[in-house]
Amino acid sequence: EICLSDWSSDVCSSDLAVDARIAQTGDDCVFLDARGIAGFETLFPTVTAVCRAAGIDPTRQPIPVVPGAHYSCGGVRTDVHGRTELPGLFAAGEVARTGMHGANRLASNSLLEAVVFAERTARRLKGATMVQPGEATAIAPPEMNELAMVELRKRMHSQVGVVREAKGLATTLDWIEAASHNVGPAARALTASRLIVAGALARQESRGGHYRSDFPTTLAPHRTFMRRGEDGQPLIHHSAIAEGV
């Protein structure tokens, strides 16, 4: 079971501002001028390295910027020891949803998940009696061709990126279903995209990195859970969060 974004946080305003500016001007990007920051190379070595690898010297040139988003904020639901509801399956780190940060973990917020809960999971596994699995047959999912992947990326970026709304999400979901008939519903990229789009369409509010232009306000905190139905389609249900929990 996958849990999507739980708790309220500020909308990623910088991404929204950049997205609005690009839409207004029609430019490919905006520029961040860091030339006046003393010691920029020392303060931001990773940014400096990435820029220079792209042929940009941030100490001498403005940095081109485009908006970005964590398309999916959530994870596999676990207890405090990393156990999922599937016996024998544990999850820790960014793949897990422990509830410690809601499910909207960004950047270094996942440090607690990766360090504390990884250790808890390891300790529980160390003391567990491991049952050897029986024989199983693995079936590799079908792969999408490059043209279909490019089209999927374009649609996910334009319709499921920084700013989302029902029409764009529904259109993207329709395209994913059509592509599934051609490629196969188990294609990994289509499976991930279907979950992301269906979850975004079901969450009729704006919260954290999920911004709906048709639902700009934030509702009372609640959890959203997704399961795979027998027909392969996502089953979604919501659960209220008690105040102070």
Side-chain angles (χ1 to χ4, degrees):
E1 184 168 65
I2 296 175
C3 180
L4 302 180
S5 198
D6 292 348
W7 301 98
S8 176
S9 62
D10 292 336
V11 170
C12 297
S13 56
S14 58
D15 277 343
L16 291 173
V18 171
D19 185 75
R21 179 64 178 176
I22 290 175
Q24 180 183 31
T25 63
D27 295 332
D28 294 329
C29 64
V30 297
F31 289 93
L32 175 65
D33 192 349
R35 290 174 292 183
I37 301 178
F40 183 87
E41 297 168 272
T42 303
L43 292 170
F44 305 101
T46 302
V47 174
T48 300
V50 170
C51 288
R52 286 179 172 163
I56 300 165
D57 185 349
T59 65
R60 297 177 179 273
Q61 301 168 266
I63 305 170
V65 177
V66 294
H70 283 64
Y71 291 139
S72 177
C73 294
V76 179
R77 185 169 65 166
T78 72
D79 64 11
V80 296
H81 299 289
R83 293 178 298 193
T84 71
E85 59 187 15
L86 184 63
L89 180 64
F90 288 72
E94 291 195 2
V95 72
R97 180 270 175 196
T98 62
M100 187 60 62
H101 296 298
N104 190 18
R105 299 187 307 279
L106 302 176
S108 57
N109 283 356
S110 59
L111 183 61
L112 177 62
E113 307 282 349
V115 177
V116 175
F117 286 97
E119 182 184 22
R120 287 186 175 187
T121 301
R123 288 181 181 276
R124 180 52 60 97
L125 285 171
K126 185 177 180 180
T129 300
M130 306 301 290
V131 178
Q132 293 300 317
E135 293 185 2
T137 301
I139 301 176
E143 296 290 343
M144 298 178 65
N145 62 52
E146 186 59 27
L147 288 177
M149 280 296 296
V150 169
E151 181 63 24
L152 177 61
R153 291 188 187 110
K154 287 181 179 178
R155 290 177 178 270
M156 292 297 289
H157 180 76
S158 62
Q159 304 295 340
V160 200
V162 178
V163 179
R164 304 164 172 179
E165 47 85 29
K167 182 179 179 180
L169 293 170
T171 299
T172 303
L173 195 57
D174 288 342
W175 185 91
I176 290 172
E177 296 307 324
S180 297
H181 291 295
N182 297 326
V183 180
R188 288 171 292 188
L190 292 178
T191 298
S193 298
R194 182 185 291 108
L195 290 172
I196 292 167
V197 178
L201 192 59
R203 187 169 278 274
Q204 297 182 343
E205 63 165 346
S206 292
R207 181 184 299 274
H210 168 71
Y211 181 76
R212 287 280 299 265
S213 59
D214 48 351
F215 293 98
T217 58
T218 299
L219 302 178
H222 62 283
R223 298 186 175 101
T224 301
F225 298 94
M226 301 182 70
R227 293 176 180 269
R228 183 180 184 275
E230 293 183 0
D231 59 355
Q233 296 300 315
L235 297 178
I236 301 173
H237 70 275
H238 304 281
S239 174
I241 298 176
E243 186 175 353
V245 176

